[in-house]
């Protein structure tokens, strides 16, 4: 009962990221089996465009844009960013010669993890802690007893909450690396 928050919230996040990686590997393997590896080379373009389109939510949240329902834009952000990340992962494949591209992919994965953390953990964790504390108050437990029983959940929540602070700099690092990768592609890739 002490590590309930860890089991219900943190482990599903890890499973979600693992699922993203496994799906990318499966698609890459399918492209190899169909002798269509060349398709993966071009999936970076729609993937990057989708990730870029997902910033509409962030612009609305920061009131740069005034139109659009924030809840609907958040769902759009989540789906489009996840799908774009999947395409970029398939695009990356297993090509070890592009260090800059791999740095961008690593930054993207960290960014996806950061975003999923915010989505899956922070609000749900806060709500669960508040619900548990309210139930304990209704049963007449003292604040000290509540703190003792919720120690590990509160500790886990405090750690998880720190991810929110780093999401923007991670996004910025990913953006810089992705732009550098795209510029390098234009400089060194023969487009004929």
């Amino acid at each position: 009962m002490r590590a309930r928050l860890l089991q219900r919230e943190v482990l599903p996040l890890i499973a979600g990221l693992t699922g993203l990686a496994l799906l990318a590997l499966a698609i890459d393997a399918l492209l190899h089996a169909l002798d269509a590896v060349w398709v993966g080379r071009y999936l970076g373009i729609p993937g990057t465009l989708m990730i870029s389109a997902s910033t509409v939510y962030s612009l609305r949240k920061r009131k740069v844009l005034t139109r659009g329902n924030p809840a609907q834009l958040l769902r759009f952000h989540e789906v489009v960013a996840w799908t774009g990340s999947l395409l970029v992962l398939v695009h990356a494949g297993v090509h070890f010669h592009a260090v800059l591209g791999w740095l961008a992919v690593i930054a993207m994965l960290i960014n996806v993890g950061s975003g999923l953390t915010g989505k899956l953990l922070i609000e749900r964790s806060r709500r669960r802690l508040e619900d548990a504390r309210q139930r304990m108050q209704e049963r007449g437990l003292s604040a000290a007893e509540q703190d003792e029983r919720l120690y590990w959940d509160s500790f886990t929540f405090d750690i998880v909450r720190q991810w929110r602070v780093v999401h923007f700099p991670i996004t910025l690092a990913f953006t810089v690396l992705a732009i550098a990768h795209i510029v390098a592609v234009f400089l060194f890739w023969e487009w004929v």
Side-chain angles (χ1 to χ4, degrees), residues 13-28:
L13 169 70
I14 293 168
L17 289 173
T18 303
L20 177 65
L22 291 175
L23 185 56
L25 288 171
I27 293 170
D28 190 57

Side-chain angles (χ1 to χ4, degrees), residues 8 12 34 36 43 55 58 113 135 166 188:
R8 290 185 182 171
L34 297 174
L43 289 179
T55 62
S58 299
R135 283 192 307 273
V166 299
F188 300 110

Side-chain angles (χ1 to χ4, degrees), residues 82-100:
W82 191 90
T83 306
S85 297
L86 176 65
L87 294 176
V88 169
L89 281 175
V90 174
H91 164 74
V94 189
H95 311 286
F96 295 105
H97 62 279
V99 174
L100 186 57

Side-chain angles (χ1 to χ4, degrees), residues 21-89:
L22 291 175
L23 185 56
L25 288 171
I27 293 170
D28 190 57
L30 179 65
L31 290 175
H32 277 80
L34 297 174
D35 199 27
V37 176
W38 62 271
V39 171
R41 185 176 200 184
Y42 296 97
L43 289 179
I45 297 167
T48 300
L49 292 174
M50 291 176 84
I51 292 169
S52 297
S54 76
T55 62
V56 169
Y57 166 72
S58 299
L59 295 173
R60 174 65 174 102
K61 184 177 176 184
R62 286 166 182 73
K63 298 185 176 144
V64 173
L65 297 176
T66 55
R67 299 187 73 203
N69 180 326
Q72 290 176 338
L73 289 174
L74 176 60
R75 282 189 294 282
F76 172 79
H77 170 79
E78 293 165 353
V79 170
V80 172
W82 191 90
T83 306
S85 297
L86 176 65
L87 294 176
V88 169
L89 281 175

